[in-house]
Amino acid sequence: MLQKNLQITPLFWQTKTLLEMNEAEWEALCDGCGKCCYRKYIQGRGKRERLYYTSVACNLLDVNTGRCRNYVDRFKIEKDCTKLTKKNLPDFGWLPKTCAYRLIYEGKPLFDWHPLISQDPNSVKNAGVLIPNGIHEKDVIDWFEFVIDEV
């Protein structure tokens, strides 16, 4: 079996399209905010459709760091965990406006607090980007109590 090229090209997010990125570069785009791991729901249809974000986190999310506590096995443990890929990215209009995948897809630059720019793995937390007061879904009965403004 051939080993994939997992080298990260310097400033790759500025020189490559999402489709040109290798697996390591694709993974490095994630800023670790964890916002995609919070539950959201859609109410209505068509022009009346509205997306609601909540502070209800997947049970695997560490709400203090924004990181998955079992990233490797997340799909086995959480059946509704969704994998973001180059192919399905256009279907993920619910990604937060700060998401690097969304920003690159829309031709926008990364924020200064993104770890690829800041070179600081704690910059997302230090910039206040994490959702405050996250609660795990196992501890929630009614998600409507935890609706938050757009993320």
Side-chain angles (χ1 to χ4, degrees):
M1 178 181 237
L2 293 174
Q3 179 127 8
K4 293 181 182 178
N5 178 5
L6 297 179
Q7 291 187 344
I8 295 180
T9 305
L11 303 176
F12 68 90
W13 63 94
Q14 295 176 349
T15 60
K16 293 184 177 185
T17 67
L18 290 168
L19 293 175
E20 294 170 330
M21 292 178 192
N22 65 38
E23 187 178 339
E25 291 166 337
W26 178 264
E27 289 291 324
L29 264 186
C30 178
D31 59 36
C33 72
K35 289 179 179 178
C36 59
C37 299
Y38 281 83
R39 302 306 184 190
K40 38 208 115 359
Y41 64 94
I42 297 173
Q43 185 176 49
R45 292 189 159 196
K47 291 182 181 181
R48 295 186 187 271
E49 183 176 285
R50 178 149 184 221
L51 174 64
Y52 292 92
Y53 293 93
T54 75
S55 58
V56 179
C58 165
N59 292 319
L60 292 178
L61 184 70
D62 181 327
V63 296
N64 296 310
T65 66
R67 296 289 183 177
C68 183
R69 291 185 293 213
N70 196 335
Y71 189 76
V72 173
D73 293 323
R74 67 193 185 278
F75 300 117
K76 294 176 189 169
I77 299 167
E78 290 291 329
K79 300 301 180 196
D80 61 346
C81 184
T82 306
K83 183 173 179 99
L84 179 64
T85 68
K86 296 172 186 178
K87 186 176 181 178
N88 69 13
L89 179 61
D91 300 329
F92 285 74
W94 50 262
L95 286 170
K97 293 177 181 176
T98 58
C99 177
Y101 298 101
R102 180 175 178 166
L103 291 169
I104 299 299
Y105 181 76
E106 294 175 349
K108 297 175 181 173
L110 300 181
F111 288 93
D112 291 342
W113 48 258
H114 192 289
L116 288 171
I117 307 254
S118 69
Q119 296 297 303
D120 178 1
N122 297 313
S123 60
V124 175
K125 185 174 184 171
N126 293 341
V129 178
L130 299 179
I131 291 177
N133 305 314
I135 185 168
H136 289 109
E137 61 186 339
K138 65 180 173 51
D139 300 322
V140 173
I141 294 173
D142 185 0
W143 288 15
F144 292 100
E145 295 177 29
F146 297 92
V147 170
I148 58 175
D149 290 330
E150 189 171 330
V151 295

